[in-house]
Amino acid sequence: MASVFSRIIAGELPARFVWRDDRCVGFLSVNPLRAGHVLVVPRDEVVHWIDLDPALWTHLAAVSQTVGAALQRAYQPAKVGMMLAGLEVPHVHVHLVPIDGVHDLDFANADPNPDPAELDAVADTVRTALRHLGAAGVAG
């Protein structure tokens, strides 16, 4: 059975995409830790990051770095946190979160019911920052 992320990538479920290329996508978390929380997800459904093809892992890291730079530009946090947890969805995904402290990466603080209008605005903000950086994979 396809993971929820595979269903999002296939267009079966909605998402606010900020990045698309032939190997991965980036979209906003539906339960963001902070504004700008993006998930970078390979199109290939791989359950554990240690099973990724090294070239795909390199690509995910490069895209994460580009999206992270856009988050830094847009939100000016102390850092952009990057985390691989992978327990909640059996499909590799990189969490990118603008953070001011390690507590900002605590999933207990995730917003269970974010305002859709705010999510739309965040997606636009991230896409605009990506465009300012000259990124090639900006979605929509």
Side-chain angles (χ1 to χ4, degrees):
M1 185 166 140
S3 77
V4 66
F5 291 158
S6 290
R7 295 182 65 209
I8 287 169
I9 293 166
E12 297 172 16
L13 295 172
R16 288 167 178 86
F17 287 91
V18 299
W19 183 275
R20 291 181 203 251
D21 67 30
D22 62 335
R23 300 177 76 191
C24 71
V25 298
F27 51 85
L28 297 186
S29 172
V30 295
N31 299 116
L33 296 174
R34 303 221 18 206
H37 183 173
V38 172
L39 304 176
V40 177
V41 183
R43 289 180 179 274
D44 293 340
E45 192 170 308
V46 178
V47 174
H48 198 308
W49 69 270
I50 63 173
D51 297 323
L52 286 170
D53 175 90
L56 180 55
W57 174 236
T58 299
H59 183 71
L60 290 176
V63 169
S64 294
Q65 192 170 29
T66 299
V67 174
L71 294 174
Q72 187 70 44
R73 177 186 178 96
Y75 293 98
Q76 300 180 352
K79 300 267 182 163
V80 174
M82 177 178 165
M83 183 173 36
L84 288 127
L87 297 173
E88 60 282 353
V89 177
H91 189 142
V92 171
H93 54 288
V94 178
H95 293 266
L96 301 173
V97 184
I99 63 171
D100 292 314
V102 71
H103 60 279
D104 292 329
L105 292 173
D106 184 345
F107 283 104
N109 297 325
D111 185 346
N113 192 25
D115 180 342
E118 287 180 26
L119 289 175
D120 290 341
V122 167
D124 287 341
T125 297
V126 175
R127 287 186 212 108
T128 298
L130 283 164
R131 285 186 191 101
H132 279 133
L133 294 172
V138 183

